[in-house]
Amino acid sequence: MSPAGAHEMTPTYPELKWSHITNVLTAQVVLLNMRSDAEYYEITVLDEDMNNIEFATSERILNVPYLERKTIDVYIRKSDKDKATYLCSRSRLRPNQVQSTGIQSRICSKFRK
Amino acid sequence: MFTKTIAVSAALLVGSVMAADVPITGEVMSKCSIYTDTAGVYGNPTPSTLSTSPQSGGVTPVVRYDVVLADAYKARISTPDGFTSSPSLTDAVIFTGSVTVDKVSDIGMSGYEAAKVTYNNVTEYDLTIAGSTWFGITSAMSYGVDKALPGGTYKAIATAECIAK
């Protein structure tokens, strides 16, 4: 039995705002890693059917050490504003970190429109 | 000597004043947290099967969902449909699985189990009440027609998702 660990992302409804780049919007979320068995998280932006949408961020797979939080800024094109629905973070487990049955966690916030 | 005493006393006074002013702030925000409460272990009740059921010598993985805002998230839990690592398997591998509500923090959540939606290897719950819900994930597999599994380590991954509505 392993100690409880958590994956947490706030806020539930991030707001898309104009960025400093023309025709590009940005949104921000904060990821908190309280899972000792996961230190990498993958960021994705999805439409309402969970299909990928192009976006930019500093790191798509980012290292979030145990008990640390990271602020994540994502940038999407103005033309994708209506399609973009979810901003998700998913834990990435290394094979040697998985016991017999590992648990992958994914949290999706929804853009406020 | 007198000057030194005054200096030390002043330092202590300053220190005590600073310690008294350390602020602690907190904010409760709308969020979902997924806790990996218990890691699962496959038991090997017969030579051709593996199961996380305690009756089969396994440990059922448990995840806990904490939601601060009622009716803002749904939980989507997928049981494994393959191994992430295993010895070489040459015959058919059939996975089965189920997800059930294990514990709840609010009596109003007792209806979650009856209202769940299941398709393929996915189970969805509408988290309509703020609080904590524990879900047990049972996974089992069988190999061939009563064919003995090769010796080695078998690993699989279940996925717990919390999706804003």
Side-chain angles (χ1 to χ4, degrees), chain B residues 37-38 54 60-64 77 99-105 109 112-113 116 125 132-138:
Chain B
D37 195 78
T38 307
T60 304
V62 176
V63 288
R64 186 181 104 209
I77 302 170
V99 181
T100 51
V101 174
D102 190 41
K103 274 192 295 185
V104 293
S105 67
M109 297 170 179
Y112 281 3
E113 187 61 29
K116 73 180 180 184
Y125 293 88
S132 302
T133 315
W134 287 257
F135 297 99
I137 304 167
T138 303

Side-chain angles (χ1 to χ4, degrees), chain A residues 1-14 30 32 34-37 46 50 85-86 88 90 93-111, chain B residues 29-43 52 59 61-65 69 71-74 76 80 84-85 137 139 154-165:
Chain A
M1 191 175 285
S2 67
H7 168 193
E8 185 177 299
M9 190 165 81
T10 52
T12 306
Y13 302 110
V30 176
L32 171 62
M34 292 189 289
R35 291 186 63 170
S36 59
D37 61 340
L46 308 170
M50 295 286 178
T85 306
Y86 299 108
C88 304
R90 183 174 61 165
L93 304 175
R94 287 181 172 169
N96 61 359
Q97 289 172 317
V98 178
Q99 296 187 16
S100 186
T101 312
I103 294 168
Q104 185 175 65
S105 52
R106 180 163 85 158
I107 297 178
C108 293
S109 295
K110 193 171 188 179
F111 292 118
Chain B
M29 291 179 74
S30 161
K31 66 183 174 186
C32 175
S33 308
I34 300 175
Y35 286 78
T36 50
D37 195 78
T38 307
V41 178
Y42 279 118
T52 59
V59 176
V62 176
V63 288
R64 186 181 104 209
Y65 281 65
L69 187 65
D71 210 17
Y73 284 98
K74 62 181 174 186
R76 182 186 290 167
T84 53
S85 72
I137 304 167
S139 172
Y154 293 79
K155 293 181 179 181
I157 288 180
T159 304
E161 298 173 85
C162 196
I163 298 166
K165 294 198 285 185

Side-chain angles (χ1 to χ4, degrees), chain A residues 54-82:
Chain A
E54 283 186 35
F55 72 103
T57 188
S58 57
E59 296 164 290
R60 289 189 180 222
I61 295 178
L62 58 143
N63 178 238
V64 187
Y66 179 50
L67 296 181
E68 286 194 14
R69 67 181 74 224
K70 270 205 174 156
T71 300
I72 301 154
D73 293 295
V74 298
Y75 298 86
I76 64 165
R77 291 179 300 207
K78 181 189 168 191
S79 56
D80 289 330
K81 182 190 172 194
D82 293 330

Side-chain angles (χ1 to χ4, degrees), chain B residues 139-150:
Chain B
S139 172
M141 66 76 63
S142 60
Y143 183 49
V145 181
D146 295 334
K147 196 169 184 180
L149 286 159

